[in-house]
Amino acid sequence: MHYRELGRTGWKVSEISFGAWAIGGAWGSVSDTESLAALNKAIDCGVNFIDTADVYGMGRSERLITQLKRDRKEEIVVATKAGRRLSPHTADGYNKANITAFIEDSLRNLSTSCLDLVQLHCPPTDVYYRPEMFSILDGLVKAGKIRYYGVSVERVEEALKAVEFPNVQTVQIIFNCFRLRPSELFFPRAIEKKVGIPARVPLASGMLTGKLNRDSRFAADDHRNFNRHGQQFDVGETFSGVDYDVALAAVEEIRKLLPPGVSMSQFALRWILMFDAVTCAIPGGKRPGQVAENCAASDLPPLSPETMAAVKTIYDKNIRDLVHARW
Ligand SMILES: NC(=O)c1ccc[n+]([C@@H]2O[C@H](COP(=O)([O-])OP(=O)(O)OC[C@H]3O[C@@H](n4cnc5c(N)ncnc54)[C@H](OP(=O)(O)O)[C@@H]3O)[C@@H](O)[C@H]2O)c1
């Protein structure tokens, strides 16, 4: 496992880190025993950064991480998120009283007196035009409740706006073989500002593992079923917003590029790590086997310029028209 600096925090985090949404909920049924085994495997493989949120199983994901931290002596940075428990989810809801209450809940779930990193959880675009929200976060840092803060964004424009606030340490954004736009304007800007980038949905919700097909079925409580068309939250979070059949066809084209001995998941993750602006990819993992396979991507040799160009060509031909202008 290799490590990269996370913005200006001084932390060096694993290139392949752990996305803890699936072990909380919204991905079909998961057992806590298996989730803990997956988390432990991640630490065994050198992972030292875990991304979670208060809303993932309403604290379930955070509490599993607390259990993990009790069992392990390694240093583990936990990035959580706040804001998505607002109902309705409005810019006005991002105020001192609500955010402070969410943070108190995360402190309890994570059994700590200070959170490592808190990310605003894909707030409405208006929040980025309300400097008072970022002053509130500064106040929480001063009060010792949070060490650092960042944001998780839906759109490139939000990312560009977020890095204007000087104490934003990280911008989490969707970036994968089906989502190239962040690399155009945003990545150079993030390098300039020394802002860390956890790349989320790196496997396009499992699509870029190459294991899905026309007959794949998802449980009723799996967002790949209930949010296929954005019924519950931004459709970009499910299969990266790409139509299922279009995605399957593009995956078959990418499959032809795999170097011998490299799985599709590993290829998709290694592709992300080719971008210096990215701090880490945070693939979700439900089982130890998935985690071990994903972590091995960090040790793979770089992809060739021809392979990188070929992925871009597949994106331009199959995917660009569907996603490029939207996020
Ligand atoms: N708004 C936000 O801030 C936001 C939104 C989305 C995600 N995130 C963060 O980003 C993380 C990653 O995104 P994601 O979990 O949505 O999607 P993802 O990482 O693209 O896909 C994860 C899913 O792919 C499957 N998988 C993973 N590794 C595999 C392997 N080696 N072989 C076969 N299948 C494999 C697993 O599901 P199955 O086994 O069920 O197929 C897993 O749950 C999340 O966990 C979360 O921490 C944040």
Side-chain angles (χ1 to χ4, degrees), residues 19-22 27 51 56 81 121-122 152 172 200-206 209 211 224 237 265 282-287 290 293-294:
W21 180 15
W27 287 78
D51 176 73
Y56 297 164
K81 308 190 197 79
H121 200 165
C122 294
S152 182
Q172 184 185 128
R200 79 167 181 270
V201 195
L203 300 170
S205 314
T209 66
K211 70 178 178 182
R224 293 171 293 186
E237 305 293 350
S265 311
I282 50 168
K286 289 168 153 173
R287 285 175 282 284
Q290 293 180 343
E293 178 184 348
N294 297 342

Side-chain angles (χ1 to χ4, degrees), residues 151-172:
V151 295
S152 182
V153 301
E154 299 287 9
R155 299 182 175 132
V156 167
E157 284 65 28
E158 293 163 348
L160 289 167
K161 183 70 185 158
V163 298
E164 295 303 317
F165 296 99
N167 298 326
V168 166
Q169 297 283 349
T170 55
V171 173
Q172 184 185 128

Side-chain angles (χ1 to χ4, degrees), residues 11 13 22 55 57-58 60 73 77 90 100 109 151 166 185 204 221 260 262 269 292 294 317:
W11 288 321
V13 303
V55 76
M58 288 299 169
R60 183 187 187 187
K73 59 179 182 341
V77 174
T90 60
T100 304
N109 288 334
V151 295
L185 279 179
D221 58 349
V262 174
L269 295 170
N294 297 342
K317 185 162 71 80

Side-chain angles (χ1 to χ4, degrees), residues 32-297:
D32 286 352
T33 309
E34 184 126 74
S35 297
L36 274 170
L39 283 166
N40 271 291
K41 176 57 80 177
I43 307 306
D44 294 342
C45 294
V47 168
N48 68 352
F49 180 79
I50 301 177
D51 176 73
T52 185
D54 56 356
V55 76
Y56 297 164
M58 288 299 169
R60 183 187 187 187
S61 176
E62 290 182 325
R63 286 191 294 269
L64 282 167
I65 294 163
T66 301
Q67 242 174 291
L68 171 82
K69 288 191 71 164
R70 271 193 205 119
D71 295 343
R72 304 292 301 225
K73 59 179 182 341
E74 292 87 345
E75 224 168 277
I76 303 166
V77 174
V78 180
T80 192
K81 308 190 197 79
R84 277 278 153 178
R85 284 193 291 149
L86 289 168
S87 180
H89 184 241
T90 60
D92 286 344
Y94 282 78
N95 57 46
K96 188 172 179 182
N98 288 336
I99 294 299
T100 304
F102 293 148
I103 279 170
E104 289 297 338
D105 288 344
S106 286
L107 286 167
R108 236 183 333 272
N109 288 334
L110 285 163
S111 193
T112 183
S113 57
C114 179
L115 301 173
D116 295 334
L117 176 69
V118 171
Q119 306 155 97
L120 296 182
H121 200 165
C122 294
T125 306
D126 262 12
V127 169
Y128 299 98
Y129 292 84
R130 297 184 180 190
E132 55 275 23
M133 182 63 243
F134 295 86
S135 304
I136 291 164
L137 291 169
D138 286 331
L140 287 162
V141 172
K142 268 204 197 95
K145 297 282 183 188
I146 65 181
R147 181 82 195 276
Y148 294 113
Y149 65 83
V151 295
S152 182
V153 301
E154 299 287 9
R155 299 182 175 132
V156 167
E157 284 65 28
E158 293 163 348
L160 289 167
K161 183 70 185 158
V163 298
E164 295 303 317
F165 296 99
N167 298 326
V168 166
Q169 297 283 349
T170 55
V171 173
Q172 184 185 128
I173 194 163
I174 297 181
F175 183 61
N176 59 43
C177 296
F178 290 168
R179 186 71 75 89
L180 268 56
R181 190 158 169 260
S183 64
E184 293 178 351
L185 279 179
F186 174 54
F187 283 5
R189 192 90 183 108
I191 289 175
E192 204 179 293
K193 296 269 185 183
K194 222 164 179 274
V195 165
I197 302 182
R200 79 167 181 270
V201 195
L203 300 170
S205 314
M207 178 58 76
L208 284 166
T209 66
K211 70 178 178 182
L212 302 179
N213 58 49
R214 284 221 167 79
D215 301 323
S216 302
R217 292 288 172 269
F218 304 96
D221 58 349
D222 186 326
H223 72 99
R224 293 171 293 186
N225 179 336
F226 69 74
N227 196 52
R228 183 76 71 87
H229 305 290
Q231 299 96 314
Q232 298 260 334
F233 45 82
D234 194 303
V235 70
E237 305 293 350
T238 303
F239 298 126
S240 207
V242 181
D243 170 80
Y244 192 78
D245 290 331
V246 172
L248 285 178
V251 162
E252 287 320 307
E253 295 207 31
I254 293 176
R255 204 188 292 280
K256 295 176 197 154
L257 304 173
L258 303 190
V262 174
S263 74
M264 177 78 96
S265 311
Q266 291 168 339
F267 178 89
L269 295 170
R270 189 65 188 91
W271 179 90
I272 290 170
L273 298 178
M274 292 299 292
F275 295 79
D276 291 340
V278 170
T279 311
C280 56
I282 50 168
K286 289 168 153 173
R287 285 175 282 284
Q290 293 180 343
V291 171
E293 178 184 348
N294 297 342
C295 286

